[in-house]
Amino acid sequence: MRFRRYALLLAVLLTSLFLLTVQTRGGGPTRATDLVALAITPVQILLANAHRGALSAWHTFTDWKTVRSENMALRADNERLRVQSLQVRETDQENSRLRRLLALRDRMPLATLTGEIIGREGGGWARSLTVNRGRADGVAQQMPVIVPEGLVGRVAQVRSGASIVQLLNDPTSTVGAVVQRTRTLGLVEGEPGGGVRFKFMARDGAGVAPGDLIVTSGLGTLFPKGIPVGRVTAIEDKGSALFHFAVLAPAVDAARVEEVLLLTGQPAQDVAGLFTPDG
Amino acid sequence: MRLSLLLMAFGGSLAQSSVVPSWSVGGVSPDLPLILTALIALRRGPEAGCLVGFAAGLLQDATGGGLLGVQALSRALAGFAMGLLPGRLWVGHPLVQIPGLVLLTVAEGLVRFGLLQLFHFPASIGELLVHVILPQALYNGFLGAACVLAVELAHTLRGRHTWI
C-alpha cells in the first residue's frame, strides 16, 4: 500500500520532469498543449459565458430590487405627502372658517354659542342640519343660526346634546325679510326643489332688481334685523297678481357649512354691517 | 469516485481562469485548484491528493501558457503532503485546516519558485513572497474556511454522505 503510494508520487514527479525537460530541450510541448487547449478552450468559453450571464442576471436582479424598493419608498412618500397636503389644506380652511366665525362672534353685540355640524338632512321633504349643541348648552327653539356670510336658519328642535336647524330652503321655512336697497318688505320661503324665493307685494314703487341683497327685517321676534339672507338673481313677474316672487341665491351655501353661531340673545339693533354676504 | 475527483480538478482549474479572476481583491486572487486539492487530500488521502493536484496543475499550466509541468509537479507534491497529514494532525478541525491551507500555499509557492529557478526565473523570492505568495495564502485561508463550512453543511444536508 505504502509502496503504491510512493510509486504514484514518483510517477507523477517523473512525468512532470519529463514534460519540463522536453520543453527546455527545444522539443516543446506545443502539440500536447494544443491538444489540451483543444479540449479545454470550449469549456473555458462556456464557463466564462456562464459566469458573465450569472453576473449580468445578478446585476439585473439587484438593480431591479433597488429600483423596486426605491419606487415603493417614493410611492409611500408621495401618498404620505398627499395625505399631509390634504390635512394641511383642510386645517387651513378650518382655521380660516373659525377665524371668521370668531371675528363675527366678537363683533356681534349679543350672546352667541358656537356649534359644529354633526349631521345633515337634504331630502326634498325637509332640509336641516344637526348641531352639536343642545338643551344642556342653553339652546332653545327658534334661535337664529348664522355664519359670517349670513343666515343659515333657525333651531327647529332641541335635544339633550344636539339641535336640529331648519335651513332657509326647507319647504316649510319662512323668514321675514327686506330688500336692503329699497326696504321693500316680504317673506323668504324655501322651495321643495331646494331653492329660496323672496315673496313681496307687487305694488307701485316696490323696487326689487337682480343683484339686490335681501336681509332679515327684524320685524318678528325671531331674527335680528339685517342678517343677509340672499341675493336676487331673477324676478318672476306674475302680471296682475298680488304677490311677485324674486329668485334668491342664498347668502349661505348650507351644504358647505361646518361651524355655526347660535344667537342666544335678541337685540333690536341692525346687525347688517357685521356680515360679509359675498364671502 | 476517481472520475468525480478528476472532474472537480478539471472544473476547479477552468474556473480559476474564467471565474476566479473576478474574485480578486487588491489584485490578489485565490488559488481554487489548490484549495480543492488540499481539501480532497485531507479527506481522501495522499494518492487522491497527488492525482488531483497533478491533473489540476497540468491544466493550469496548459491554460496559463507557462511551462507545462511546473504547477503539475508542485501541486502533486502539495496534495501528497497534505494527504499524509490525517493521522498525524487533527485535520478534521477547521482551526487546523485553515492554517494548514495557508502554510500549504506558502510551501507550494516555494516549491514552484524552486522549480522555476532551475529555468532561470527572474523574480526574487522576497518580492514573490510579499506580493504574491503570502497574500494568496491568506486569501486561500479565508476561502478555504468558507469551503470547509460549505462542505460540512453539504454533509449535514445529505445525511453525512461523503462526496469529496
Side-chain angles (χ1 to χ4, degrees):
Chain A
M1 185 68 178
R2 181 167 289 198
F3 171 76
R4 196 181 138 196
R5 175 181 297 174
Y6 286 104
L8 175 72
L9 179 63
L10 191 63
V12 164
L13 291 179
L14 286 176
T15 309
S16 301
L17 288 173
F18 171 74
L19 284 169
L20 287 168
T21 310
V22 168
Q23 287 170 84
T24 50
R25 288 286 165 94
T30 315
R31 192 165 291 174
T33 45
D34 279 356
L35 280 174
V36 174
L38 200 67
I40 62 178
T41 304
V43 186
Q44 270 184 304
I45 291 170
L46 195 72
L47 270 176
N49 285 341
H51 178 238
R52 261 197 299 275
L55 273 183
S56 169
W58 174 251
H59 287 148
T60 306
F61 174 69
T62 50
D63 285 352
W64 174 77
K65 265 185 80 175
T66 310
V67 168
R68 188 166 175 264
S69 60
E70 272 180 6
N71 190 20
M72 283 173 71
L74 287 173
R75 272 174 194 267
D77 269 0
N78 189 26
E79 198 62 31
R80 186 176 52 78
L81 289 172
R82 276 176 60 185
V83 169
Q84 219 168 38
S85 160
L86 286 173
Q87 282 173 339
V88 167
R89 198 184 305 166
E90 184 66 20
T91 307
D92 192 43
Q93 286 175 351
E94 187 182 17
N95 194 9
S96 170
R97 285 197 312 269
L98 290 173
R99 274 175 190 279
R100 294 179 61 210
L101 202 66
L102 196 64
L104 176 66
R105 199 176 84 158
D106 290 344
R107 292 195 304 266
M108 195 64 79
L110 48 100
T112 58
L113 186 66
T114 55
E116 211 172 301
I117 305 304
I118 56 171
R120 294 172 196 275
E121 172 60 54
W125 301 101
R127 292 189 177 86
S128 63
L129 299 175
T130 307
V131 187
N132 67 339
R133 297 289 187 184
R135 201 171 293 119
D137 302 296
V139 179
Q141 267 197 325
Q142 307 298 341
M143 273 186 177
V145 179
I146 61 170
V147 290
E149 290 80 20
L151 186 67
V152 176
R154 77 184 95 189
V155 175
Q157 283 178 37
V158 184
R159 296 167 184 172
S160 61
S163 305
I164 307 298
V165 177
Q166 183 190 48
L167 295 175
L168 278 181
N169 61 351
D170 182 274
T172 61
S173 165
T174 308
V175 175
V178 62
V179 180
Q180 195 181 44
R181 181 175 61 87
T182 60
R183 312 313 292 177
T184 301
L185 277 169
L187 287 173
V188 172
E189 298 173 338
E191 290 182 311
V196 180
R197 64 182 184 177
F198 179 62
K199 180 181 171 187
F200 60 99
M201 193 173 283
R203 61 181 185 206
D204 290 341
V208 180
D212 276 343
L213 182 66
I214 309 295
V215 298
T216 51
S217 62
L219 293 177
T221 55
L222 297 180
F223 299 100
K225 188 177 178 180
I227 303 174
V229 175
R231 216 170 264 283
V232 177
T233 56
I235 310 289
E236 288 179 7
D237 190 350
K238 301 282 186 184
S240 59
L242 184 60
F243 292 102
H244 283 181
F245 295 94
V247 180
L248 298 187
V252 178
D253 182 359
R256 298 174 64 178
V257 170
E258 300 209 23
E259 298 90 15
V260 293
L261 279 182
L262 291 91
L263 302 186
T264 54
Q266 292 298 320
Q269 58 188 302
D270 193 335
V271 294
L274 306 178
F275 287 90
T276 53
D278 289 321
Chain B
M1 187 57 75
R2 281 187 183 172
L3 183 65
S4 71
L5 292 179
L6 286 176
L7 279 176
M8 284 178 73
F10 186 71
S13 297
L14 293 184
Q16 181 68 25
S17 62
S18 55
V19 179
V20 174
S22 66
W23 303 350
S24 124
V25 177
V28 181
S29 301
D31 193 338
L32 190 62
L34 185 64
I35 294 170
L36 274 173
T37 302
L39 292 178
I40 288 167
L42 285 173
R43 288 173 187 273
R44 308 281 298 173
E47 290 95 336
C50 181
L51 270 178
V52 168
F54 177 74
L58 199 61
L59 275 168
Q60 276 187 279
D61 283 335
T63 54
L67 281 170
L68 204 63
V70 174
Q71 290 190 78
L73 180 56
S74 63
R75 267 140 216 255
L77 281 173
F80 190 85
M82 203 70 172
L84 289 175
L85 288 180
R88 294 178 172 82
L89 281 173
W90 186 32
V91 293
H93 200 280
L95 286 178
V96 175
Q97 288 178 347
I98 307 309
L101 194 53
V102 173
L103 289 176
L104 183 74
T105 309
V106 175
E108 194 269 345
L110 293 176
V111 169
R112 199 196 304 189
F113 176 75
L115 273 172
L116 289 173
Q117 279 298 96
L118 297 174
F119 303 98
H120 310 291
F121 187 62
S124 71
I125 182 67
E127 273 184 306
L128 272 176
L129 265 176
V130 172
H131 294 112
V132 180
I133 298 174
L134 285 176
Q136 190 174 55
L138 288 174
Y139 203 153
N140 281 354
F142 283 113
L143 191 63
C147 288
V148 167
L149 288 174
V151 168
E152 290 300 323
L153 184 67
H155 279 194
T156 309
L157 292 176
R158 293 165 70 107
R160 290 276 162 200
H161 174 71
T162 303
W163 57 279
I164 283 181

